[in-house]
Amino acid sequence: MAAIVDEDDISLPSDDEVEETQETQDEEVVTDLSNTEVVTKYLEASRITNLALESLIPHIVTGAKILDLIRIGEAIINKSLAKIYNKKVGGKVVSKGMAFPVCLSVNEKICNYTPLASEAPEEGLVAGDMVKIDLGCHIDGFISVAAHTVCVADSGASPELPGPSAGTVCAAAHNAMLVAAATIKAGNTNVQVTSALEKVCESYGVKCIANVRMHQMKHFVIDGPKEIALRQPNVDEGEERVETCTFEENEVYCVDVAMSTGEGKGREGTDRTTVYKRNVDQTYKLRMKASHYLLKAVTDNFPTMPFSLRMVEDERQAKMGVKECTDHNLLSAYPVFNERDGVFVAHFKCTVLLMPNGTKKVTGLDLPAYFTTDKTLDEENQKLLDEIREKEEKKRKKAAAKKKKKKAAGK
């Protein structure tokens, strides 16, 4: 089930105001959560992000092909976005689209796997495969992202986990996401979040993936200046330290948790990197025709958000031109990270808004019931989770009562 946001907790404009609000040209537009229109756009993007996850999961069954599933996810997002914000605001069309390409990383693959059409695997998924779904969209540059992990089964059947450790690492990663989301609140620091995650790992006997970072998100910026390490970096092994920062009201964060039953070290494998992002502050006079083609395609279609080379019309030109663009820092790469073969990996991600009355988790689904474990969480984090679930249950009941009342009034 998707994250629940109580409308009473967040002040929203009416539907007419959403479509007809005109931004004054001679005033600076407020792009943080103190602007109710901004909050509305985050919530709408989050609704579509959750819908894409929920709608895609039933298709992830034995025999399904990765590229077909990716295209289904993209179609859901694009069709949903096409239905809203179609009126011009301040004389301009509202920008909207993918904020992160749909990625499906299977088994030891951790993240960022979205193959080119010419290189997609022909074989379908098999029962017991662990699939990590990662996607996101934006409305007017206000970004919502999510990731979720499922186990593949025959259509209509319940999944059979490939081993007890699979349930443990998924429960650990999902609970860690919830703990992190609750700890990211105004006045707290990123050090507190990392400390809480380390306690979760210790309780479940798993490791956070060192390569993964959580990021602040800002207007048209998916990887903002403030970031959070999943674990204390090992500088002796070349891992970079993260600067200490304090969270503030009206900020937005991507809570990104990946864990494994192995060493927690993501390695680049043999899979081609297809996900990139334009470095808007970098320029260079390219020499190759293919590089010019790719950069123009990116500038026209994906000027600020991550994209897949698969989304560029001429795939051959894109493959030829990407090296020169990356060599000169015009594009940043999102490599496909892998753990060792036989290691179980889980990936969960949600978006949180730091509202004046507290942190609101607006994307992310519940942990599938088949991911079970005999491990228990430490007392402090378990208490925090119990409080989170109690609040969620109250909101569910309130939402159900409101829906029932509305239905009765309509008779």
Side-chain angles (χ1 to χ4, degrees), residues 109-111 132 147 149 169 172-174 176-177 197 201 206-214 230-231 255-261 264-265 337 339 344-349:
K109 289 183 177 62
I110 300 168
C111 57
K132 280 76 67 179
T149 302
V169 74
H174 191 272
M177 178 188 71
L197 293 176
C201 286
V206 297
K207 294 283 184 68
C208 282
I209 304 295
N211 312 64
V212 178
R213 294 279 190 274
M214 302 185 199
L230 298 194
R231 68 186 198 189
V255 181
D256 193 353
V257 176
M259 292 184 172
S260 83
T261 55
K265 295 179 180 179
F337 287 120
E339 255 281 16
F344 296 118
V345 177
H347 187 198
F348 293 93
K349 182 191 293 185

Short mmCIF file of all heavy atoms in Angstrom, two decimals, residues 109-111 132 147 149 169 172-174 176-177 197 201 206-214 230-231 255-261 264-265 337 339 344-349:
data_model
loop_
_atom_site.label_atom_id
_atom_site.label_comp_id
_atom_site.label_asym_id
_atom_site.label_seq_id
_atom_site.Cartn_x
_atom_site.Cartn_y
_atom_site.Cartn_z
N LYS A 109 22.26 -7.70 -9.06
CA LYS A 109 22.29 -6.31 -9.51
C LYS A 109 21.62 -5.43 -8.45
O LYS A 109 20.51 -5.74 -7.99
CB LYS A 109 21.58 -6.15 -10.85
CG LYS A 109 22.32 -6.75 -12.03
CD LYS A 109 21.57 -6.48 -13.32
CE LYS A 109 22.33 -6.99 -14.55
NZ LYS A 109 22.53 -8.45 -14.55
N ILE A 110 22.28 -4.34 -8.09
CA ILE A 110 21.76 -3.48 -7.03
C ILE A 110 20.83 -2.41 -7.58
O ILE A 110 19.73 -2.21 -7.06
CB ILE A 110 22.93 -2.82 -6.26
CG1 ILE A 110 23.83 -3.90 -5.64
CG2 ILE A 110 22.40 -1.87 -5.18
CD1 ILE A 110 25.15 -3.36 -5.12
N CYS A 111 21.27 -1.70 -8.62
CA CYS A 111 20.48 -0.58 -9.11
C CYS A 111 20.95 -0.14 -10.51
O CYS A 111 22.01 -0.56 -10.97
CB CYS A 111 20.57 0.61 -8.15
SG CYS A 111 22.26 1.19 -7.84
N LYS A 132 14.48 -5.45 -8.13
CA LYS A 132 14.43 -4.11 -7.54
C LYS A 132 13.92 -3.12 -8.58
O LYS A 132 14.53 -2.95 -9.63
CB LYS A 132 15.83 -3.67 -7.07
CG LYS A 132 16.25 -4.26 -5.73
CD LYS A 132 16.67 -5.71 -5.83
CE LYS A 132 17.96 -5.88 -6.62
NZ LYS A 132 18.40 -7.29 -6.71
N ALA A 147 11.58 3.33 -4.81
CA ALA A 147 12.11 2.02 -5.23
C ALA A 147 11.47 0.96 -4.35
O ALA A 147 11.08 1.23 -3.20
CB ALA A 147 13.63 1.98 -5.11
N THR A 149 11.24 -3.64 -3.77
CA THR A 149 11.79 -4.96 -4.06
C THR A 149 10.69 -6.02 -3.98
O THR A 149 9.90 -6.01 -3.03
CB THR A 149 12.92 -5.33 -3.08
OG1 THR A 149 13.95 -4.34 -3.15
CG2 THR A 149 13.52 -6.70 -3.40
N VAL A 169 17.00 -9.62 4.58
CA VAL A 169 17.58 -8.39 4.03
C VAL A 169 16.50 -7.44 3.53
O VAL A 169 16.65 -6.21 3.63
CB VAL A 169 18.60 -8.72 2.91
CG1 VAL A 169 17.92 -9.16 1.62
CG2 VAL A 169 19.51 -7.52 2.64
N ALA A 172 14.97 -5.83 6.61
CA ALA A 172 15.94 -4.87 7.14
C ALA A 172 15.96 -3.58 6.34
O ALA A 172 15.91 -2.48 6.90
CB ALA A 172 17.34 -5.50 7.15
N ALA A 173 16.01 -3.71 5.01
CA ALA A 173 16.09 -2.52 4.16
C ALA A 173 14.81 -1.68 4.24
O ALA A 173 14.87 -0.45 4.29
CB ALA A 173 16.37 -2.93 2.72
N HIS A 174 13.67 -2.36 4.25
CA HIS A 174 12.41 -1.62 4.32
C HIS A 174 12.25 -0.91 5.66
O HIS A 174 11.88 0.27 5.71
CB HIS A 174 11.23 -2.56 4.10
CG HIS A 174 9.93 -1.85 3.88
ND1 HIS A 174 9.10 -1.48 4.92
CD2 HIS A 174 9.32 -1.42 2.75
CE1 HIS A 174 8.04 -0.87 4.45
NE2 HIS A 174 8.14 -0.81 3.13
N ALA A 176 14.66 -0.04 7.61
CA ALA A 176 15.68 1.01 7.64
C ALA A 176 15.19 2.25 6.90
O ALA A 176 15.45 3.39 7.33
CB ALA A 176 16.97 0.51 7.01
N MET A 177 14.48 2.04 5.78
CA MET A 177 13.91 3.18 5.05
C MET A 177 12.93 3.95 5.94
O MET A 177 12.96 5.19 5.99
CB MET A 177 13.20 2.70 3.79
CG MET A 177 12.53 3.81 2.99
SD MET A 177 11.50 3.20 1.62
CE MET A 177 10.12 2.46 2.54
N LEU A 197 20.77 3.74 10.94
CA LEU A 197 20.85 2.68 9.93
C LEU A 197 21.86 1.60 10.33
O LEU A 197 21.63 0.41 10.09
CB LEU A 197 21.24 3.28 8.58
CG LEU A 197 20.22 4.20 7.92
CD1 LEU A 197 20.78 4.80 6.65
CD2 LEU A 197 18.93 3.45 7.63
N CYS A 201 21.25 -2.50 10.63
CA CYS A 201 22.11 -3.53 10.01
C CYS A 201 22.63 -4.52 11.04
O CYS A 201 22.66 -5.73 10.79
CB CYS A 201 23.29 -2.85 9.30
SG CYS A 201 22.86 -2.02 7.77
N VAL A 206 23.03 -7.70 8.32
CA VAL A 206 23.21 -7.39 6.91
C VAL A 206 24.09 -6.15 6.79
O VAL A 206 24.46 -5.53 7.77
CB VAL A 206 21.85 -7.17 6.19
CG1 VAL A 206 21.03 -8.45 6.23
CG2 VAL A 206 21.09 -6.01 6.84
N LYS A 207 24.39 -5.76 5.52
CA LYS A 207 25.25 -4.60 5.28
C LYS A 207 24.56 -3.59 4.36
O LYS A 207 23.93 -3.97 3.38
CB LYS A 207 26.56 -5.03 4.62
CG LYS A 207 27.46 -5.91 5.51
CD LYS A 207 28.18 -5.07 6.55
CE LYS A 207 29.15 -5.92 7.36
NZ LYS A 207 30.29 -6.40 6.54
N CYS A 208 24.71 -2.31 4.70
CA CYS A 208 24.29 -1.27 3.76
C CYS A 208 25.28 -1.21 2.60
O CYS A 208 26.47 -1.46 2.79
CB CYS A 208 24.27 0.10 4.46
SG CYS A 208 22.84 0.38 5.51
N ILE A 209 24.79 -0.89 1.41
CA ILE A 209 25.65 -0.76 0.24
C ILE A 209 26.40 0.57 0.33
O ILE A 209 25.79 1.64 0.39
CB ILE A 209 24.84 -0.82 -1.07
CG1 ILE A 209 24.00 -2.12 -1.13
CG2 ILE A 209 25.76 -0.69 -2.27
CD1 ILE A 209 24.81 -3.39 -1.21
N ALA A 210 27.71 0.50 0.34
CA ALA A 210 28.54 1.69 0.57
C ALA A 210 28.37 2.74 -0.53
O ALA A 210 28.48 3.94 -0.27
CB ALA A 210 30.01 1.29 0.69
N ASN A 211 28.10 2.31 -1.76
CA ASN A 211 28.04 3.25 -2.90
C ASN A 211 26.80 4.14 -2.88
O ASN A 211 26.76 5.17 -3.54
CB ASN A 211 28.04 2.48 -4.23
CG ASN A 211 29.11 1.43 -4.30
OD1 ASN A 211 29.08 0.48 -3.53
ND2 ASN A 211 30.05 1.59 -5.22
N VAL A 212 25.77 3.72 -2.14
CA VAL A 212 24.49 4.42 -2.18
C VAL A 212 24.48 5.61 -1.22
O VAL A 212 24.98 5.51 -0.10
CB VAL A 212 23.33 3.45 -1.84
CG1 VAL A 212 22.00 4.18 -1.83
CG2 VAL A 212 23.29 2.30 -2.85
N ARG A 213 23.93 6.72 -1.66
CA ARG A 213 23.77 7.92 -0.84
C ARG A 213 22.33 8.40 -0.93
O ARG A 213 21.68 8.29 -1.97
CB ARG A 213 24.69 9.04 -1.33
CG ARG A 213 26.17 8.78 -1.19
CD ARG A 213 26.65 9.06 0.23
NE ARG A 213 28.10 9.05 0.32
CZ ARG A 213 28.83 7.97 0.52
NH1 ARG A 213 28.23 6.79 0.64
NH2 ARG A 213 30.15 8.05 0.60
N MET A 214 21.85 8.96 0.17
CA MET A 214 20.57 9.67 0.15
C MET A 214 20.87 11.13 -0.15
O MET A 214 21.89 11.66 0.29
CB MET A 214 19.85 9.57 1.49
CG MET A 214 19.58 8.16 1.95
SD MET A 214 18.61 8.18 3.48
CE MET A 214 18.92 6.52 4.09
N LEU A 230 24.79 5.81 4.01
CA LEU A 230 24.10 4.68 4.65
C LEU A 230 24.93 4.07 5.76
O LEU A 230 24.40 3.45 6.68
CB LEU A 230 23.77 3.60 3.61
CG LEU A 230 22.83 3.98 2.46
CD1 LEU A 230 22.34 2.73 1.75
CD2 LEU A 230 21.66 4.80 2.95
N ARG A 231 26.25 4.23 5.67
CA ARG A 231 27.12 3.72 6.72
C ARG A 231 28.36 4.61 6.78
O ARG A 231 28.66 5.35 5.84
CB ARG A 231 27.50 2.28 6.45
CG ARG A 231 28.40 2.06 5.25
CD ARG A 231 28.61 0.58 4.98
NE ARG A 231 29.77 0.33 4.15
CZ ARG A 231 30.07 -0.84 3.63
NH1 ARG A 231 29.28 -1.87 3.85
NH2 ARG A 231 31.15 -1.01 2.89
N VAL A 255 14.93 9.24 0.36
CA VAL A 255 15.41 8.26 1.34
C VAL A 255 15.69 6.97 0.60
O VAL A 255 14.78 6.25 0.21
CB VAL A 255 14.38 8.04 2.46
CG1 VAL A 255 14.91 7.04 3.49
CG2 VAL A 255 14.05 9.36 3.15
N ASP A 256 16.96 6.69 0.36
CA ASP A 256 17.39 5.61 -0.54
C ASP A 256 18.20 4.59 0.25
O ASP A 256 19.30 4.89 0.72
CB ASP A 256 18.23 6.24 -1.65
CG ASP A 256 18.47 5.29 -2.81
OD1 ASP A 256 18.09 4.11 -2.70
OD2 ASP A 256 19.03 5.73 -3.83
N VAL A 257 17.66 3.38 0.40
CA VAL A 257 18.32 2.34 1.21
C VAL A 257 18.51 1.08 0.38
O VAL A 257 17.55 0.52 -0.15
CB VAL A 257 17.51 2.00 2.47
CG1 VAL A 257 18.17 0.86 3.24
CG2 VAL A 257 17.36 3.23 3.37
N ALA A 258 19.75 0.65 0.26
CA ALA A 258 20.07 -0.62 -0.39
C ALA A 258 20.93 -1.44 0.56
O ALA A 258 21.90 -0.91 1.14
CB ALA A 258 20.80 -0.39 -1.70
N MET A 259 20.57 -2.69 0.74
CA MET A 259 21.30 -3.57 1.67
C MET A 259 21.56 -4.91 1.02
O MET A 259 20.86 -5.32 0.07
CB MET A 259 20.51 -3.77 2.96
CG MET A 259 20.39 -2.53 3.82
SD MET A 259 19.53 -2.88 5.38
CE MET A 259 19.76 -1.32 6.25
N SER A 260 22.55 -5.64 1.55
CA SER A 260 22.86 -6.96 1.01
C SER A 260 23.28 -7.90 2.12
O SER A 260 23.63 -7.47 3.23
CB SER A 260 23.98 -6.86 -0.05
OG SER A 260 25.25 -6.84 0.57
N THR A 261 23.25 -9.18 1.79
CA THR A 261 23.74 -10.20 2.73
C THR A 261 25.23 -10.45 2.52
O THR A 261 25.81 -11.32 3.16
CB THR A 261 22.97 -11.52 2.53
OG1 THR A 261 23.08 -11.93 1.15
CG2 THR A 261 21.49 -11.35 2.88
N GLY A 264 28.42 -5.61 1.11
CA GLY A 264 27.88 -4.25 0.99
C GLY A 264 28.71 -3.36 0.10
O GLY A 264 28.73 -2.15 0.27
N LYS A 265 29.40 -3.95 -0.86
CA LYS A 265 30.24 -3.17 -1.78
C LYS A 265 29.73 -3.35 -3.20
O LYS A 265 29.85 -4.43 -3.78
CB LYS A 265 31.70 -3.62 -1.69
CG LYS A 265 32.34 -3.34 -0.33
CD LYS A 265 33.78 -3.81 -0.30
CE LYS A 265 34.42 -3.54 1.06
NZ LYS A 265 35.82 -4.01 1.12
N PHE A 337 25.46 -1.17 -10.57
CA PHE A 337 26.26 -1.76 -9.49
C PHE A 337 25.78 -3.17 -9.18
O PHE A 337 24.58 -3.47 -9.25
CB PHE A 337 26.18 -0.90 -8.22
CG PHE A 337 26.96 0.39 -8.32
CD1 PHE A 337 26.33 1.61 -8.20
CD2 PHE A 337 28.33 0.37 -8.52
CE1 PHE A 337 27.04 2.80 -8.27
CE2 PHE A 337 29.06 1.55 -8.61
CZ PHE A 337 28.41 2.76 -8.49
N GLU A 339 26.45 -6.79 -6.60
CA GLU A 339 27.08 -7.52 -5.50
C GLU A 339 27.62 -8.84 -6.05
O GLU A 339 27.48 -9.12 -7.24
CB GLU A 339 26.06 -7.78 -4.38
CG GLU A 339 26.22 -6.88 -3.16
CD GLU A 339 27.37 -7.34 -2.22
OE1 GLU A 339 28.21 -8.16 -2.66
OE2 GLU A 339 27.42 -6.88 -1.07
N PHE A 344 22.04 -11.84 -1.65
CA PHE A 344 20.70 -11.25 -1.76
C PHE A 344 20.79 -9.75 -1.52
O PHE A 344 21.44 -9.28 -0.59
CB PHE A 344 19.75 -11.89 -0.75
CG PHE A 344 19.51 -13.35 -0.98
CD1 PHE A 344 19.88 -14.29 -0.03
CD2 PHE A 344 18.95 -13.80 -2.17
CE1 PHE A 344 19.68 -15.64 -0.24
CE2 PHE A 344 18.75 -15.16 -2.39
CZ PHE A 344 19.11 -16.07 -1.43
N VAL A 345 20.10 -9.01 -2.40
CA VAL A 345 20.12 -7.54 -2.34
C VAL A 345 18.69 -7.02 -2.27
O VAL A 345 17.81 -7.51 -2.97
CB VAL A 345 20.82 -6.95 -3.58
CG1 VAL A 345 20.78 -5.43 -3.55
CG2 VAL A 345 22.26 -7.45 -3.67
N ALA A 346 18.48 -6.00 -1.45
CA ALA A 346 17.18 -5.34 -1.34
C ALA A 346 17.36 -3.85 -1.54
O ALA A 346 18.36 -3.27 -1.11
CB ALA A 346 16.54 -5.62 0.01
N HIS A 347 16.37 -3.22 -2.15
CA HIS A 347 16.44 -1.78 -2.43
C HIS A 347 15.06 -1.17 -2.22
O HIS A 347 14.09 -1.59 -2.85
CB HIS A 347 16.91 -1.55 -3.87
CG HIS A 347 17.16 -0.11 -4.19
ND1 HIS A 347 17.23 0.36 -5.49
CD2 HIS A 347 17.36 0.98 -3.41
CE1 HIS A 347 17.48 1.66 -5.48
NE2 HIS A 347 17.55 2.06 -4.22
N PHE A 348 14.98 -0.21 -1.31
CA PHE A 348 13.74 0.51 -1.07
C PHE A 348 14.05 2.00 -1.03
O PHE A 348 15.10 2.41 -0.52
CB PHE A 348 13.08 0.07 0.25
CG PHE A 348 12.57 -1.34 0.23
CD1 PHE A 348 13.36 -2.38 0.68
CD2 PHE A 348 11.31 -1.63 -0.27
CE1 PHE A 348 12.90 -3.69 0.65
CE2 PHE A 348 10.83 -2.93 -0.29
CZ PHE A 348 11.63 -3.97 0.16
N LYS A 349 13.13 2.79 -1.54
CA LYS A 349 13.34 4.23 -1.61
C LYS A 349 12.00 4.94 -1.44
O LYS A 349 10.97 4.46 -1.90
CB LYS A 349 13.95 4.59 -2.98
CG LYS A 349 14.27 6.05 -3.21
CD LYS A 349 14.61 6.33 -4.67
CE LYS A 349 15.91 5.68 -5.10
NZ LYS A 349 16.27 6.07 -6.50
#
